[in-house]
Amino acid sequence: MAGRRIGRLKGTRMLAPALNADEIAKLLHEVFPQAFYDGCGLILESVEYARIRVRRRFHEDYLRPGGTISGPTMMELADFAMYVAVFSAVGAQPLAVTTNLSINFLRKPAQADLIADAKLMKVGKRLAVGEVTLYSDGSEEPVAHVTATYSIPGKAN
Amino acid sequence: MAGRRIGRLKGTRMLAPALNADEIAKLLHEVFPQAFYDGCGLILESVEYARIRVRRRFHEDYLRPGGTISGPTMMELADFAMYVAVFSAVGAQPLAVTTNLSINFLRKPAQADLIADAKLMKVGKRLAVGEVTLYSDGSEEPVAHVTATYSIPGKAN
Amino acid sequence: MAGRRIGRLKGTRMLAPALNADEIAKLLHEVFPQAFYDGCGLILESVEYARIRVRRRFHEDYLRPGGTISGPTMMELADFAMYVAVFSAVGAQPLAVTTNLSINFLRKPAQADLIADAKLMKVGKRLAVGEVTLYSDGSEEPVAHVTATYSIPGKAN
Amino acid sequence: MAGRRIGRLKGTRMLAPALNADEIAKLLHEVFPQAFYDGCGLILESVEYARIRVRRRFHEDYLRPGGTISGPTMMELADFAMYVAVFSAVGAQPLAVTTNLSINFLRKPAQADLIADAKLMKVGKRLAVGEVTLYSDGSEEPVAHVTATYSIPGKAN
């Protein structure tokens, strides 16, 4: 377990994130410049152990027929949020890959920033499983819900 | 049912597609210019009733750490292929939206074109359900498998 | 919306359940005696609007190789919990049917009662979407997580 | 790879099943008597390498409101079929466990036997991924479609 223990709460271990937001942003700039670059519109708003929040700035390129944000825009954001959540729990594992992702689209998103709230439900030796809830900025009702599994190659060696 | 019946095979109806490849390409240019434009790299290779094939030209922007094509590139292609498959079965329904999509990533894709083979398993009044198998061009082993459900608003009225 | 409004909290409507636990138990006895009968081991522990908790008493028939509770036992409980959650939100709709269910198995369950905590994320005119978290009694770490969609036929008429 | 190579077809290896139907039935009787016993109604109709077919005899206990076979009955059959398919590819691995299962219900099943046609899409060192199509006996249109992932503990050691 890469996280640093910082306390105890209700019988569970409170862990500090394995990497903080600045460390993760620096890592992403280095290893994934296609997705994470200055002006890409992705902002790491909050990084705790196994729980992170990412904002995706609105851009009209994301629109699809009906004036709503496209499904792939939401899937990409959720997948990215899971990737960051994995780093928050197990540290720098850029070769972690999604093995399964399932999304339910719940409501038509507004033409506004998207917020992704990702939480890992399991951090195993080889697999991490989590859920991501997506919101339109300023709304409390989710626009989509995702569950995903990441395979962590470094942990298996 | 928008498809035009053209014969019978093994007790099931053989239907012509509701829209052919040229008609679908024209529709996409009009209603979804963000995704489908000259040079976008998406090619409708085959359109039958409820069964279509799309090629996504390789571009190095799709790469992620490890030198493999990113998950969101594959999810976007699968979602697009389902959208086209819905048109092939029920005609021009640009406001059809994905309600659920589940993807399993099976193998590391090559740095090559991606082929999406989409097939609808159900064409209902309100929902269409299908599966999409993704291949690297020239390989017979799938790199990913998707199931997805589309909601068809025009059919519900 | 079948729920009865009982207050307001943080800008969202607080609704009473459309049916309470006793009303739902009575309904299930009538319409689904194969699943819900005296001694079946299913207990409706809590019913709020769109949020319910069900207990499944442990029985050694649920075990599979490895001494763990079988996957189908957990899938059946989650599907049942969603069914009850739909009743809590839209009332007596026994012909509501699952259209999609996706489960991630997270940890080996104990040889103990299973607790299902179900929450609807969307209650639409035709579809309800929710998530169910399963626990072994006495443990805080989930053994499985489910998302599911129900089609509500009565609501479409 | 436990399968025994028996030929080549279209550039892919043709493999004999690691265990045949009789060997799998014998194994199931020993390790999973709760699910597989004389009179249980499950019949292994066909076992090839990574591709199997199972029949579930109809029983009125499987009915749910609306006179249709319940979702959990179909999920249990699909999960069982995947378990057998894993044995057909990697041999006796009774501790293989489902990590993820996703089902789409497509049509109302008849009050008839259910047929499960399972095919593995990937047989990896640690994970097997497959799809299962369910039919009502005598019908060509599927009643449900499942994708599932099994974790193979013996293979990881």
Side-chain angles (χ1 to χ4, degrees), chain A residues 12-47:
Chain A
T12 66
R13 289 172 297 170
M14 272 287 283
L15 296 166
L19 297 175
N20 65 30
D22 287 345
E23 291 165 335
I24 292 173
K26 185 164 176 292
L27 175 65
L28 290 168
H29 271 293
E30 289 169 10
V31 300
F32 206 170
Q34 298 98 320
F36 199 77
Y37 53 88
D38 291 335
C40 70
L42 289 165
I43 300 160
L44 307 186
E45 292 205 327
S46 160
V47 174

Side-chain angles (χ1 to χ4, degrees), chain A residues 126 156, chain D residues 93 124-127 151-157:
Chain A
R126 310 186 313 195
Chain D
Q93 290 282 2
K125 287 180 190 162
R126 312 185 313 195
L127 296 176
S151 175
I152 308 168
K155 303 261 290 184
N157 297 326

Side-chain angles (χ1 to χ4, degrees), chain A residues 9-12 100 102 104-107 121-123 129-131 133 140-142 145 147-149, chain C residues 9-12 100 102 104-107 121-123 129-131 133 140-142 145 147-149:
Chain A
L9 182 65
K10 287 184 188 171
T12 66
N100 173 268
S102 181
N104 283 291
F105 296 96
L106 302 171
R107 290 172 187 84
M121 297 184 283
K122 175 187 173 172
V123 182
V129 185
E131 65 178 325
T133 310
E140 289 183 3
E141 297 206 307
H145 180 270
T147 54
T149 300
Chain C
L9 183 64
K10 287 185 187 170
T12 66
N100 173 268
S102 180
N104 283 291
F105 296 96
L106 302 171
R107 291 173 187 83
M121 297 184 282
K122 175 187 173 171
V123 182
V129 185
E131 64 178 326
T133 309
E140 290 183 3
E141 297 208 306
H145 180 270
T147 54
T149 300

Side-chain angles (χ1 to χ4, degrees), chain D residues 99-156:
Chain D
T99 61
N100 174 268
L101 186 147
S102 181
I103 185 165
N104 283 291
F105 296 96
L106 301 171
R107 292 173 187 81
K108 184 177 169 172
Q111 295 188 18
D113 290 1
L114 282 174
I115 310 294
D117 185 355
K119 181 176 63 166
L120 299 186
M121 297 185 284
K122 175 186 174 173
V123 182
K125 287 180 190 162
R126 312 185 313 195
L127 296 176
V129 185
E131 64 177 326
V132 188
T133 309
L134 299 179
Y135 302 90
S136 288
D137 191 22
S139 170
E140 289 183 3
E141 296 208 305
V143 295
H145 180 270
V146 171
T147 55
T149 301
Y150 263 74
S151 175
I152 308 168
K155 303 261 290 184

Side-chain angles (χ1 to χ4, degrees), chain B residues 41-53:
Chain B
L42 289 165
I43 300 160
L44 307 186
E45 293 206 325
S46 160
V47 173
E48 300 170 39
Y49 174 80
R51 174 130 207 185
I52 67 99
R53 193 172 61 210

Side-chain angles (χ1 to χ4, degrees), chain C residues 64-86:
Chain C
R64 51 148 285 160
T68 183
I69 292 176
S70 77
T73 302
M74 292 188 268
M75 293 191 276
E76 181 179 32
L77 174 58
D79 191 51
F80 177 80
M82 272 292 297
Y83 193 54
V84 172
V86 168

